[in-house]
Amino acid sequence: MTDILKLARIQIVLITLFIILKRIRPTILENNPLEWIKITLLSLPNFFEAVIGPLILTGIGLYVNARILSKKRQVKPNMLYVIATTISGIYVITQELKIHNLGGNNVCDKNDVLFSIAGLLIGYLILISIKPKIYLSSSEK
């Protein structure tokens, strides 16, 4: 479970940064910042969302693999990382393109799409660097 806790800690940090950014963003935008600062402030939430998605789905997938699926039906961890990132990518990008509105009131913006793609890439890189797994004790197998 320590690998799942690593993913959870990363998510907590990102969610905290997301909340802080959302709270200070209006104040900074009122002061007419440079264009690149404005773009970054407006698109960073998309980046955070895109990083968090694969981490959450990987945690769920690892749990399902270890606790629900038979040994024969389990997905290999590397494939699970790809699947989680792909599903997250479909959700995030279709939301940005306004194909659905599940995440709230969204504005279609190319910078948001770019930040989302960067976030998905970072999320995947986190997964392949940590290589999270669930280790079952011999009594749980």
Side-chain angles (χ1 to χ4, degrees):
M1 277 298 210
T2 58
D3 290 348
I4 299 281
L5 293 176
K6 283 181 194 175
L7 295 180
R9 282 187 214 107
I10 293 168
Q11 291 172 55
I12 289 168
V13 168
L14 292 173
I15 290 168
T16 302
L17 290 172
F18 176 85
I19 291 168
I20 291 169
L21 180 71
K22 282 285 209 175
R23 294 184 73 82
I24 67 169
R25 184 166 68 175
T27 305
I28 295 171
L29 291 174
E30 284 175 1
N31 294 321
N32 295 324
L34 297 171
E35 190 64 22
W36 71 269
I37 293 173
K38 184 177 177 183
I39 289 169
T40 303
L41 282 174
L42 293 172
S43 297
L44 265 177
N46 301 84
F47 174 82
F48 293 140
E49 177 183 44
V51 174
I52 291 170
L55 303 184
I56 289 173
L57 291 180
T58 297
I60 293 168
L62 289 170
Y63 183 84
V64 168
N65 244 1
R67 306 281 185 189
I68 297 173
L69 296 178
S70 67
K71 194 78 166 157
K72 190 169 109 177
R73 294 191 181 269
Q74 289 182 355
V75 179
K76 293 185 192 265
N78 286 335
M79 181 56 73
L80 187 59
Y81 310 154
V82 170
I83 292 168
T85 304
T86 302
I87 292 170
S88 294
I90 291 168
Y91 171 80
V92 168
I93 301 302
T94 55
Q95 178 181 331
E96 286 309 316
L97 298 176
K98 292 187 141 288
I99 294 172
H100 66 80
N101 197 25
L102 299 174
N105 193 9
N106 229 13
V107 176
C108 188
D109 178 16
K110 69 177 180 172
N111 294 313
D112 289 352
V113 173
L114 293 173
F115 273 70
S116 294
I117 291 169
L120 290 165
L121 179 62
I122 297 297
Y124 181 71
L125 291 174
I126 289 169
L127 292 171
I128 61 172
S129 67
I130 293 176
K131 295 179 180 46
K133 296 180 177 99
I134 289 184
Y135 307 96
L136 296 176
S137 65
S138 57
S139 64
E140 295 177 305
K141 291 182 182 175

